[in-house]
Every structure is written in structure tokens, then in C-alpha cells.
């Protein structure tokens, strides 16, 4: 049963620290998405990749967030420096083309 | 106007009831549509795709109305386990593929 995996599942850190979240997409999928979900904003698209190339990151705060896909089996989302307002659940999802996405279990980030 | 809008609810219905949600979208160039279900503190999971001809899966029926730019989800014979948040997703097609999620509609099915 192929699944998207994300690590860590929970992260508590202090303001100013660097946070790196990792995602392993489903093998064979060519699109990868990063989302942030909060009660106030709902599910926001931060970035997405197709065939490892970044296609859109307009939803991502550029000054502190960065997203990369060093290879087809790994996507990373980094926050440096982290702030309390970054506290949220971060989801990675993968898919193929314009079809449905499959979500990972998420990383619950708390920045103190 | 938001790109994808949903009534947040909650819709509070008894077991066995039929309930319907709508989701409106603003971009007429949207080409693919989906319904996801999200349980509390869990990830969204695909419920069903929405085809131009409609789509039915057991108690669930999804329909697309391009003229009025909305999709709908109908749940018949509601179960307690249907309690969740239902998210609609609208994708632009072609090279500008960008998925946009609605804020979700909360459904509570009570005994």
C-alpha cells in the first residue's frame, strides 16, 4: 500500500531555530505539493514541483521558507528562522499530472 | 470573491438523513474537480473525483455544473462515521495546474 511519508510527525522548537521537514512521495508520482493548514487560514498551498522542478511557490514566504527536491524520492521544506506564527500542520502530497493528490500524515509544528 | 467557496457549516443531521454540500469556483478555466474528506487531526483523503457526467460511489454522488460553476456532493443514508470535514478541490488545467482547496464543510451526523 503506497503512501506518502513525512518526518518528523511532531516538532516543537523555539523561535529563531531552523526547521526542516521531509517528505517521501509515492514512487512514480511526478508532482509534489507542500501545504500549511491552520484553523484560521485552512489549507494553503505553499509550493509544488513537477518532475522535481519548482512550478509555483507564490504562496510561500520567501524570506524564511524554502522548498527543494534534491531527488525524486525526497522533498524538503525548510523554515529559517522560525517564528511562532509558523505554528501549523504542514502536509506534503504527491500525485501524477492533473489528477488526485495523496497526502502524507503531516508534520505538526509548534514554534514557541 | 474567493476562488473556491464552501459553506463551513456545521451541517448537523441525524443518521439516515440525506445531506448535500455545494462548492462554487470562480475560474471558468478550471478543469478537474475532487472531493476530499478530512477527519479531525488527520490528513485529507480523496473521497471521489467529479466528472462532467457526474460520479456515484455507493451512498455518495458528486456532480459538476459548469454553467453555474459549482460542484456538489450528496450523501445518502448518513452514517455516524460520515462525520468529518469535506473539502472540495478545483484544479486549473494545462501548464498552469494549481490546485485550490476550499475551506471545507463540517458534517456532524448524530444518533
Amino acid at each position: 500500500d503506497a503512501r506518502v511519508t513525512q518526518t518528523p510527525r511532531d516538532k516543537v522548537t523555539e523561535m529563531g531555530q531552523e526547521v526542516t521537514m521531509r517528505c517521501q512521495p509515492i514512487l512514480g508520482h511526478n508532482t509534489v505539493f507542500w501545504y500549511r493548514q491552520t484553523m484560521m487560514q485552512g489549507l494553503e498551498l505553499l509550493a509544488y514541483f513537477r518532475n522535481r522542478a519548482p512550478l509555483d511557490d507564490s504562496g510561500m514566504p520567501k524570506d524564511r521558507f524554502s522548498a527543494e527536491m534534491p531527488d525524486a524520492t525526497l522533498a524538503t521544506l525548510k523554515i529559517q528562522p522560525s517564528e511562532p506564527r509558523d505554528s501549523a500542520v504542514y502536509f506534503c502530497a504527491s500525485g501524477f499530472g492533473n489528477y488526485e493528490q495523496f497526502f502524507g500524515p503531516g508534520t505538526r509544528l509548534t514554534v514557541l | 470573491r474567493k476562488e473556491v467557496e464552501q459553506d463551513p457549516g456545521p451541517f448537523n443531521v441525524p443518521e439516515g438523513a440525506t445531506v448535500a454540500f455545494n462548492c462554487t469556483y470562480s475560474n471558468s478555466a478550471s478543469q478537474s474537480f475532487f472531493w476530499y474528506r478530512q477527519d479531525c487531526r488527520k490528513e485529507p483523503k480523496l473521497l471521489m473525483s467529479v466528472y462532467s457526467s457526474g460520479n456515484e460511489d455507493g451512498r455518495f454522488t458528486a456532480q459538476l455544473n459548469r454553467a453555474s460553476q459549482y460542484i456538489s456532493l450528496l450523501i445518502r443514508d448518513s452514517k455516524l462515521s460520515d462525520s468529518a470535514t469535506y473539502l472540495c478541490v478545483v484544479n486549473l488545467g494545462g501548464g498552469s495546474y494549481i490546485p485550490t482547496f476550499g475551506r471545507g464543510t463540517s458534517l456532524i451526523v448524530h444518533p
Side-chain angles (χ1 to χ4, degrees):
Chain A
D1 186 23
R3 298 184 183 186
V4 175
T5 59
Q6 288 185 248
T7 57
R9 294 291 304 273
D10 286 279
K11 176 73 175 179
V12 180
T13 191
E14 293 188 348
M15 183 173 61
Q17 295 299 305
E18 178 179 300
V19 175
T20 298
M21 291 168 270
R22 294 177 173 81
C23 167
Q24 181 172 10
I26 293 173
L27 188 64
H29 283 181
N30 69 344
T31 52
V32 173
F33 308 87
W34 281 105
Y35 293 92
R36 175 171 63 184
Q37 188 172 40
T38 62
M39 290 294 293
M40 294 298 293
Q41 299 296 330
L43 203 59
E44 302 173 275
L45 178 65
L46 297 175
Y48 84 91
F49 297 80
R50 178 169 288 187
N51 297 322
R52 293 177 56 201
L55 288 193
D56 188 274
D57 61 1
S58 58
M60 195 165 65
K62 300 294 190 302
D63 56 338
R64 298 183 299 108
F65 285 60
S66 62
E68 295 180 345
M69 272 203 80
D71 62 63
T73 65
L74 177 64
T76 63
L77 180 66
K78 188 175 295 186
I79 308 174
Q80 168 62 19
S82 57
E83 297 180 1
R85 59 180 168 151
D86 300 329
S87 298
V89 180
Y90 291 81
F91 288 107
C92 173
S94 72
F96 190 83
N98 200 25
Y99 300 101
E100 58 268 22
Q101 307 169 44
F102 296 87
F103 282 75
T107 294
R108 187 172 299 275
L109 175 64
T110 303
V111 183
L112 304 174
Chain B
R1 181 183 174 187
K2 294 181 181 176
E3 292 185 44
V4 178
E5 292 197 65
Q6 295 183 253
D7 181 343
F11 285 62
N12 204 322
V13 303
E15 273 186 291
T18 295
V19 62
F21 312 133
N22 282 345
C23 168
T24 59
Y25 60 95
S26 60
N27 194 324
S28 59
S30 301
Q31 293 196 10
S32 58
F33 310 86
F34 307 91
W35 282 102
Y36 282 73
R37 170 197 170 123
Q38 186 173 25
D39 293 291
C40 187
R41 300 178 72 85
K42 297 286 189 180
E43 72 273 21
K45 293 185 178 179
L46 179 69
L47 181 64
M48 58 199 309
S49 304
V50 187
Y51 305 126
S52 295
S53 57
N55 189 19
E56 185 172 321
D57 183 4
R59 298 182 293 109
F60 298 83
T61 300
Q63 293 192 317
L64 167 64
N65 186 317
R66 284 194 183 274
S68 300
Q69 295 184 201
Y70 73 88
I71 62 173
S72 64
L73 178 67
L74 179 78
I75 305 175
R76 290 180 296 277
D77 188 23
S78 299
K79 311 292 185 189
L80 296 176
S81 58
D82 293 334
S83 298
T85 297
Y86 291 84
L87 303 163
C88 69
V89 187
V90 175
N91 294 341
L92 292 175
S96 58
Y97 168 73
I98 298 176
T100 304
F101 277 77
R103 291 290 303 273
T105 296
S106 175
L107 172 66
I108 300 171
V109 181
H110 59 82

